[in-house]
Amino acid sequence: MSWIDKIKAGLGGKKTAKDEDLWVECKKCKEQIFIAELEANLKVCPHCDYHFRLETRQRIHQLMDQESFKEYDQQLTSSDPLKFRDTKKYKDRIKSSVKKGLSNDAVITGSGTIEGLPVELCVFDFSFMGGSMGSVVGEKITRGIERAMENKSALIIASCSGGARMQEGIFSLMQMAKTSAALKKLSNQKIPYISLLTDPTMGGVSASFSMLGDIILAEPGALIGFAGPRVIEQTIKQKLPDGFQRAEFLLDHGLIDNVVHRKDLKSTLADLLKILKNSPAQKVSMQEDAEKETALTTPPEILGA
């Protein structure tokens, strides 16, 4: 048996540091996956279709047309209004998260195109304090909504969050109302908003803008809810059904509109945007369908045949 087969079979003992750089274990089927193969497959397990979490920049690269994305408000950073400290100062937590170099807070926002269609995109960064929503997240999302109204472009928010950021207390909770009020203005202007729920979407994020989309999509297996399953079981003293709070369960119970595989997300979003914005391409298609239907149902003598 080769060393590759041994690793796949779990017979090779402890992996070396070099092995860890080459392989990753699927959290669902436990198969060993070559990292390069996983990256090429959009971080979806080739054996069981388990969706690993995407980094924010990877998500943007996957969804947006090449070199079309322009980031806004990247300079905004969180303050410490409550001088909060638990096992570590809040300011120190922010600094350590910023040092990772992905973003200055838990969401990246900007403008771009999807198959040529203009959109405002907001993508959460779970590596930044669990994608938690503080004042900066609420402000950046609200500014993104306002740009969508100004530019008459559709809005897409890809959520990946543990909920409101406890270190900012009521300032964090206020972002739920702030973003929801902005979305109401967006709705009044008949500008489409598509919400994409990824693993996980929990707490105050799911209780506000994430569940207010004109269309709500989710990735397969995404955990979506308010409180976690363990907290709910302890509260109601009952065992929860299998798959509770997973995307497929929510789809079956009418809480979301569809579960979409990651490889189909961009094309699905583009098709939905064409329908919601009533684009010229959609009008032509509808007109052609109407003409075909007329040709089939109208008697030949009326058509001059």
PDB file of all heavy atoms in Angstrom, residues 191-212:
ATOM      1  N   ILE A 191     -36.175  47.908  -5.514  1.00  0.00           N
ATOM      2  CA  ILE A 191     -34.847  47.416  -5.869  1.00  0.00           C
ATOM      3  C   ILE A 191     -34.652  46.045  -5.233  1.00  0.00           C
ATOM      4  O   ILE A 191     -34.855  45.881  -4.035  1.00  0.00           O
ATOM      5  CB  ILE A 191     -33.755  48.391  -5.386  1.00  0.00           C
ATOM      6  CG1 ILE A 191     -33.906  49.733  -6.108  1.00  0.00           C
ATOM      7  CG2 ILE A 191     -32.361  47.813  -5.621  1.00  0.00           C
ATOM      8  CD1 ILE A 191     -32.985  50.819  -5.600  1.00  0.00           C
ATOM      9  N   PRO A 192     -34.287  45.030  -6.016  1.00  0.00           N
ATOM     10  CA  PRO A 192     -34.226  43.661  -5.488  1.00  0.00           C
ATOM     11  C   PRO A 192     -33.090  43.444  -4.497  1.00  0.00           C
ATOM     12  O   PRO A 192     -32.002  44.012  -4.634  1.00  0.00           O
ATOM     13  CB  PRO A 192     -34.028  42.803  -6.741  1.00  0.00           C
ATOM     14  CG  PRO A 192     -33.483  43.723  -7.769  1.00  0.00           C
ATOM     15  CD  PRO A 192     -34.015  45.076  -7.472  1.00  0.00           C
ATOM     16  N   TYR A 193     -33.377  42.587  -3.523  1.00  0.00           N
ATOM     17  CA  TYR A 193     -32.396  42.180  -2.521  1.00  0.00           C
ATOM     18  C   TYR A 193     -32.433  40.667  -2.382  1.00  0.00           C
ATOM     19  O   TYR A 193     -33.472  40.089  -2.065  1.00  0.00           O
ATOM     20  CB  TYR A 193     -32.696  42.858  -1.175  1.00  0.00           C
ATOM     21  CG  TYR A 193     -32.049  42.206   0.032  1.00  0.00           C
ATOM     22  CD1 TYR A 193     -30.741  41.739   0.001  1.00  0.00           C
ATOM     23  CD2 TYR A 193     -32.762  42.070   1.229  1.00  0.00           C
ATOM     24  CE1 TYR A 193     -30.156  41.153   1.112  1.00  0.00           C
ATOM     25  CE2 TYR A 193     -32.188  41.484   2.349  1.00  0.00           C
ATOM     26  CZ  TYR A 193     -30.883  41.022   2.279  1.00  0.00           C
ATOM     27  OH  TYR A 193     -30.308  40.432   3.378  1.00  0.00           O
ATOM     28  N   ILE A 194     -31.293  40.027  -2.647  1.00  0.00           N
ATOM     29  CA  ILE A 194     -31.174  38.576  -2.494  1.00  0.00           C
ATOM     30  C   ILE A 194     -30.271  38.284  -1.308  1.00  0.00           C
ATOM     31  O   ILE A 194     -29.150  38.802  -1.229  1.00  0.00           O
ATOM     32  CB  ILE A 194     -30.603  37.922  -3.765  1.00  0.00           C
ATOM     33  CG1 ILE A 194     -31.521  38.180  -4.965  1.00  0.00           C
ATOM     34  CG2 ILE A 194     -30.425  36.415  -3.566  1.00  0.00           C
ATOM     35  CD1 ILE A 194     -30.976  37.653  -6.280  1.00  0.00           C
ATOM     36  N   SER A 195     -30.758  37.476  -0.395  1.00  0.00           N
ATOM     37  CA  SER A 195     -29.993  37.097   0.786  1.00  0.00           C
ATOM     38  C   SER A 195     -29.462  35.678   0.607  1.00  0.00           C
ATOM     39  O   SER A 195     -30.219  34.756   0.322  1.00  0.00           O
ATOM     40  CB  SER A 195     -30.871  37.182   2.044  1.00  0.00           C
ATOM     41  OG  SER A 195     -30.149  36.782   3.189  1.00  0.00           O
ATOM     42  N   LEU A 196     -28.152  35.521   0.783  1.00  0.00           N
ATOM     43  CA  LEU A 196     -27.509  34.216   0.693  1.00  0.00           C
ATOM     44  C   LEU A 196     -27.041  33.802   2.083  1.00  0.00           C
ATOM     45  O   LEU A 196     -26.222  34.489   2.701  1.00  0.00           O
ATOM     46  CB  LEU A 196     -26.324  34.272  -0.273  1.00  0.00           C
ATOM     47  CG  LEU A 196     -25.435  33.032  -0.335  1.00  0.00           C
ATOM     48  CD1 LEU A 196     -26.233  31.814  -0.782  1.00  0.00           C
ATOM     49  CD2 LEU A 196     -24.245  33.271  -1.264  1.00  0.00           C
ATOM     50  N   LEU A 197     -27.566  32.685   2.584  1.00  0.00           N
ATOM     51  CA  LEU A 197     -27.235  32.212   3.923  1.00  0.00           C
ATOM     52  C   LEU A 197     -26.212  31.081   3.814  1.00  0.00           C
ATOM     53  O   LEU A 197     -26.464  30.076   3.158  1.00  0.00           O
ATOM     54  CB  LEU A 197     -28.492  31.713   4.633  1.00  0.00           C
ATOM     55  CG  LEU A 197     -29.717  32.642   4.590  1.00  0.00           C
ATOM     56  CD1 LEU A 197     -30.882  32.032   5.363  1.00  0.00           C
ATOM     57  CD2 LEU A 197     -29.375  34.021   5.134  1.00  0.00           C
ATOM     58  N   THR A 198     -25.071  31.262   4.457  1.00  0.00           N
ATOM     59  CA  THR A 198     -24.033  30.234   4.457  1.00  0.00           C
ATOM     60  C   THR A 198     -23.815  29.768   5.893  1.00  0.00           C
ATOM     61  O   THR A 198     -24.430  30.270   6.825  1.00  0.00           O
ATOM     62  CB  THR A 198     -22.728  30.764   3.836  1.00  0.00           C
ATOM     63  OG1 THR A 198     -22.128  31.732   4.701  1.00  0.00           O
ATOM     64  CG2 THR A 198     -22.995  31.407   2.482  1.00  0.00           C
ATOM     65  N   ASP A 199     -22.949  28.799   6.052  1.00  0.00           N
ATOM     66  CA  ASP A 199     -22.744  28.175   7.366  1.00  0.00           C
ATOM     67  C   ASP A 199     -21.711  28.920   8.196  1.00  0.00           C
ATOM     68  O   ASP A 199     -20.562  29.058   7.768  1.00  0.00           O
ATOM     69  CB  ASP A 199     -22.277  26.732   7.168  1.00  0.00           C
ATOM     70  CG  ASP A 199     -22.096  25.992   8.476  1.00  0.00           C
ATOM     71  OD1 ASP A 199     -23.092  25.872   9.207  1.00  0.00           O
ATOM     72  OD2 ASP A 199     -20.966  25.556   8.764  1.00  0.00           O
ATOM     73  N   PRO A 200     -22.101  29.430   9.406  1.00  0.00           N
ATOM     74  CA  PRO A 200     -23.460  29.475   9.960  1.00  0.00           C
ATOM     75  C   PRO A 200     -24.061  30.871   9.797  1.00  0.00           C
ATOM     76  O   PRO A 200     -23.339  31.842   9.591  1.00  0.00           O
ATOM     77  CB  PRO A 200     -23.194  29.189  11.442  1.00  0.00           C
ATOM     78  CG  PRO A 200     -21.871  29.879  11.699  1.00  0.00           C
ATOM     79  CD  PRO A 200     -21.077  29.771  10.410  1.00  0.00           C
ATOM     80  N   THR A 201     -25.373  30.970   9.895  1.00  0.00           N
ATOM     81  CA  THR A 201     -26.050  32.268   9.962  1.00  0.00           C
ATOM     82  C   THR A 201     -26.954  32.229  11.187  1.00  0.00           C
ATOM     83  O   THR A 201     -28.012  31.611  11.155  1.00  0.00           O
ATOM     84  CB  THR A 201     -26.872  32.551   8.690  1.00  0.00           C
ATOM     85  OG1 THR A 201     -26.004  32.537   7.553  1.00  0.00           O
ATOM     86  CG2 THR A 201     -27.551  33.910   8.785  1.00  0.00           C
ATOM     87  N   MET A 202     -26.524  32.886  12.258  1.00  0.00           N
ATOM     88  CA  MET A 202     -27.200  32.740  13.541  1.00  0.00           C
ATOM     89  C   MET A 202     -27.434  34.096  14.212  1.00  0.00           C
ATOM     90  O   MET A 202     -26.975  35.133  13.752  1.00  0.00           O
ATOM     91  CB  MET A 202     -26.368  31.848  14.476  1.00  0.00           C
ATOM     92  CG  MET A 202     -26.080  30.452  13.948  1.00  0.00           C
ATOM     93  SD  MET A 202     -27.558  29.443  13.784  1.00  0.00           S
ATOM     94  CE  MET A 202     -27.967  29.171  15.513  1.00  0.00           C
ATOM     95  N   GLY A 203     -28.169  34.056  15.330  1.00  0.00           N
ATOM     96  CA  GLY A 203     -28.328  35.208  16.204  1.00  0.00           C
ATOM     97  C   GLY A 203     -28.980  36.409  15.558  1.00  0.00           C
ATOM     98  O   GLY A 203     -29.887  36.295  14.730  1.00  0.00           O
ATOM     99  N   GLY A 204     -28.489  37.602  15.935  1.00  0.00           N
ATOM    100  CA  GLY A 204     -29.091  38.852  15.478  1.00  0.00           C
ATOM    101  C   GLY A 204     -29.003  39.076  13.986  1.00  0.00           C
ATOM    102  O   GLY A 204     -29.796  39.833  13.419  1.00  0.00           O
ATOM    103  N   VAL A 205     -28.054  38.427  13.326  1.00  0.00           N
ATOM    104  CA  VAL A 205     -27.957  38.534  11.861  1.00  0.00           C
ATOM    105  C   VAL A 205     -29.132  37.821  11.207  1.00  0.00           C
ATOM    106  O   VAL A 205     -29.793  38.355  10.315  1.00  0.00           O
ATOM    107  CB  VAL A 205     -26.606  37.969  11.371  1.00  0.00           C
ATOM    108  CG1 VAL A 205     -26.587  37.844   9.861  1.00  0.00           C
ATOM    109  CG2 VAL A 205     -25.473  38.867  11.834  1.00  0.00           C
ATOM    110  N   SER A 206     -29.406  36.586  11.656  1.00  0.00           N
ATOM    111  CA  SER A 206     -30.548  35.849  11.094  1.00  0.00           C
ATOM    112  C   SER A 206     -31.868  36.488  11.510  1.00  0.00           C
ATOM    113  O   SER A 206     -32.872  36.347  10.800  1.00  0.00           O
ATOM    114  CB  SER A 206     -30.514  34.386  11.557  1.00  0.00           C
ATOM    115  OG  SER A 206     -30.758  34.283  12.947  1.00  0.00           O
ATOM    116  N   ALA A 207     -31.875  37.199  12.634  1.00  0.00           N
ATOM    117  CA  ALA A 207     -33.107  37.823  13.131  1.00  0.00           C
ATOM    118  C   ALA A 207     -33.351  39.194  12.523  1.00  0.00           C
ATOM    119  O   ALA A 207     -34.309  39.873  12.901  1.00  0.00           O
ATOM    120  CB  ALA A 207     -33.056  37.944  14.654  1.00  0.00           C
ATOM    121  N   SER A 208     -32.519  39.612  11.579  1.00  0.00           N
ATOM    122  CA  SER A 208     -32.726  40.919  10.943  1.00  0.00           C
ATOM    123  C   SER A 208     -32.572  40.801   9.434  1.00  0.00           C
ATOM    124  O   SER A 208     -33.370  40.120   8.786  1.00  0.00           O
ATOM    125  CB  SER A 208     -31.764  41.962  11.538  1.00  0.00           C
ATOM    126  OG  SER A 208     -30.417  41.534  11.449  1.00  0.00           O
ATOM    127  N   PHE A 209     -31.541  41.396   8.876  1.00  0.00           N
ATOM    128  CA  PHE A 209     -31.466  41.541   7.416  1.00  0.00           C
ATOM    129  C   PHE A 209     -31.340  40.222   6.666  1.00  0.00           C
ATOM    130  O   PHE A 209     -31.782  40.124   5.524  1.00  0.00           O
ATOM    131  CB  PHE A 209     -30.304  42.475   7.034  1.00  0.00           C
ATOM    132  CG  PHE A 209     -28.967  42.053   7.558  1.00  0.00           C
ATOM    133  CD1 PHE A 209     -28.196  41.127   6.887  1.00  0.00           C
ATOM    134  CD2 PHE A 209     -28.460  42.602   8.723  1.00  0.00           C
ATOM    135  CE1 PHE A 209     -26.955  40.744   7.364  1.00  0.00           C
ATOM    136  CE2 PHE A 209     -27.224  42.223   9.215  1.00  0.00           C
ATOM    137  CZ  PHE A 209     -26.472  41.290   8.536  1.00  0.00           C
ATOM    138  N   SER A 210     -30.762  39.192   7.283  1.00  0.00           N
ATOM    139  CA  SER A 210     -30.550  37.938   6.558  1.00  0.00           C
ATOM    140  C   SER A 210     -31.848  37.269   6.126  1.00  0.00           C
ATOM    141  O   SER A 210     -31.886  36.582   5.102  1.00  0.00           O
ATOM    142  CB  SER A 210     -29.733  36.960   7.409  1.00  0.00           C
ATOM    143  OG  SER A 210     -28.388  37.351   7.467  1.00  0.00           O
ATOM    144  N   MET A 211     -32.902  37.458   6.908  1.00  0.00           N
ATOM    145  CA  MET A 211     -34.185  36.815   6.590  1.00  0.00           C
ATOM    146  C   MET A 211     -35.182  37.793   5.967  1.00  0.00           C
ATOM    147  O   MET A 211     -36.373  37.511   5.911  1.00  0.00           O
ATOM    148  CB  MET A 211     -34.789  36.190   7.848  1.00  0.00           C
ATOM    149  CG  MET A 211     -33.917  35.112   8.482  1.00  0.00           C
ATOM    150  SD  MET A 211     -33.549  33.723   7.380  1.00  0.00           S
ATOM    151  CE  MET A 211     -35.138  32.882   7.360  1.00  0.00           C
ATOM    152  N   LEU A 212     -34.692  38.932   5.479  1.00  0.00           N
ATOM    153  CA  LEU A 212     -35.574  39.942   4.887  1.00  0.00           C
ATOM    154  C   LEU A 212     -35.420  40.043   3.373  1.00  0.00           C
ATOM    155  O   LEU A 212     -35.924  40.977   2.765  1.00  0.00           O
ATOM    156  CB  LEU A 212     -35.301  41.317   5.526  1.00  0.00           C
ATOM    157  CG  LEU A 212     -35.668  41.454   7.007  1.00  0.00           C
ATOM    158  CD1 LEU A 212     -35.272  42.838   7.527  1.00  0.00           C
ATOM    159  CD2 LEU A 212     -37.165  41.231   7.225  1.00  0.00           C
TER     160      LEU A 212
END
